[in-house]
Amino acid sequence: MDDLRKRALECLLIRDPLEKVQQTQALYQRFLAGELAISDKTLSVPDEPGRPDKPELVAPRDLPRRRNSAESGNASLIHAVCHIEFNAINLGLDAVARFARLPQQYYDDWARVAFEESQHFILLREHLNTLGYDYGSFPAHNGMWEMARKTHHDPLIRMALVPRVLEARGLDVTPKMMNKLRGSGDHRAVEILEIILEEEIGHVKIGTHWFNYLCAQREVDPLATFKDLLDNYFSGELRGPFNTQARKLADFTDEEMALLEGR
């Protein structure tokens, strides 16, 4: 049979966003239909995913400040979220292709995440189009993928730091974004972010599950391991406020929330 992980790698390398979305969705449908097996071979996955020439990638400090006008300010905000979702498609595909010899449920989970992230991208891009812009109209930063690159060597560290730190930040900041967009009258954007927030809780929860699974497999304490990784990779950079309700739904423990709040 054809191999899910090899096909995920092919999707990961696609540069055109719409083709990547279409192929990712087709891949997931083929997987659901039972047309794809899961190999245990180590694949040669490059450090960087396929991405278009635009948006221009700059350091976070070099991003232009969003103007307060409802039109361009909202569009640049939607574009920033759209860019996160494009990265999240790649992260889901990379998690499938890069890490071998994990349980089938792991590949089920991350193939579904890539599919759902592709749906989020479509919703946001279509809304951007109604505002007169497209994906690539504004510069963006590459922080999420830079952290992914630092975790290419170990699925435990990937699960701890990408879903449970970087993607979980979306759980923290999305309600405030929704309030801003609601106040400016962009109710369609609010509807889209409501969909994304609900599904992102599930994605972070998947990260929590596989982080805990890998900690148990290696006989290490999850809380101590999470603390050590935060100290090593996020020295003083991770600050609240945190969306405790959403994080608890994503299976953060009281002890983990206390750890985050105390940093």
Side-chain angles (χ1 to χ4, degrees):
M1 290 179 68
D2 207 352
D3 178 30
L4 170 71
R5 295 180 55 239
K6 287 182 180 178
R7 298 297 166 238
L9 175 56
E10 290 177 358
C11 290
L12 179 69
L13 299 180
I14 294 171
R15 297 188 64 201
D16 180 78
L18 294 185
E19 184 184 354
K20 188 188 292 281
V21 163
Q22 291 165 359
Q23 293 301 320
T24 297
Q25 295 191 347
L27 175 75
Y28 186 57
Q29 295 303 329
R30 289 188 66 199
F31 185 52
L32 289 181
E35 298 175 12
L36 300 172
I38 300 169
S39 73
D40 61 1
K41 296 178 181 177
T42 299
L43 301 179
S44 178
V45 183
D47 284 348
E48 299 294 331
R51 59 167 69 97
D53 293 332
K54 287 185 175 282
E56 177 191 3
L57 298 180
V58 300
R61 65 179 178 276
D62 295 330
L63 286 173
R65 292 179 67 97
R66 297 187 185 106
R67 295 198 296 266
N68 289 327
S69 73
E71 182 189 355
S72 63
N74 284 1
S76 63
L77 176 60
I78 296 300
H79 185 275
V81 183
C82 194
H83 179 64
I84 289 169
E85 298 302 320
F86 180 76
N87 272 318
I89 299 169
N90 284 330
L91 287 166
L93 294 168
D94 187 89
V96 170
R98 185 173 300 278
F99 301 117
R101 295 174 290 280
L102 287 161
Q104 177 170 335
Q105 187 60 48
Y106 169 89
Y107 301 102
D108 292 352
D109 285 344
W110 288 107
R112 176 168 62 83
V113 169
F115 172 78
E116 290 178 352
E117 303 290 17
S118 73
Q119 292 181 307
H120 299 169
F121 178 85
I122 290 171
L123 291 171
L124 290 162
R125 179 179 178 266
E126 287 176 346
H127 188 56
L128 260 182
N129 292 163
T130 69
L131 301 176
Y133 299 90
D134 203 346
Y135 180 55
S137 294
F138 300 90
H141 72 79
N142 200 35
M144 186 177 284
W145 193 263
E146 288 171 1
M147 181 52 66
R149 191 167 56 236
K150 292 176 182 177
T151 65
H152 280 348
H153 63 291
D154 190 332
L156 185 152
I157 301 176
R158 170 70 62 86
M159 295 298 112
L161 299 184
V162 176
R164 304 195 80 226
V165 177
L166 296 188
E167 294 190 70
R169 291 304 287 161
L171 308 185
D172 302 329
V173 303
T174 298
K176 185 176 179 180
M177 283 194 291
M178 290 165 63
N179 287 337
K180 177 185 176 183
L181 292 164
R182 193 178 288 113
S184 70
D186 192 342
H187 299 294
R188 177 54 182 159
V190 175
E191 290 174 357
I192 294 169
L193 290 182
E194 285 174 344
I195 294 168
I196 291 174
L197 179 59
E198 181 177 350
E199 294 188 347
E200 291 297 344
I201 289 171
H203 299 171
V204 177
K205 185 173 182 174
I206 287 170
T208 298
H209 172 80
W210 291 110
F211 170 68
N212 288 330
Y213 170 89
L214 289 163
C215 285
Q217 187 182 61
R218 300 181 193 186
E219 299 182 343
V220 297
D221 178 68
L223 182 64
T225 302
F226 191 47
K227 180 182 184 303
D228 287 346
L229 291 171
L230 291 178
D231 290 343
N232 289 332
Y233 287 84
F234 292 94
S235 54
E237 300 171 24
L238 191 61
R239 297 182 177 88
F242 301 103
N243 186 342
T244 300
Q245 179 181 5
R247 284 175 176 264
K248 293 295 289 292
L249 289 171
D251 289 345
F252 276 75
T253 65
D254 291 335
E255 292 78 11
E256 286 173 329
M257 291 309 304
L259 172 66
L260 292 170
E261 296 286 358
R263 288 179 65 81

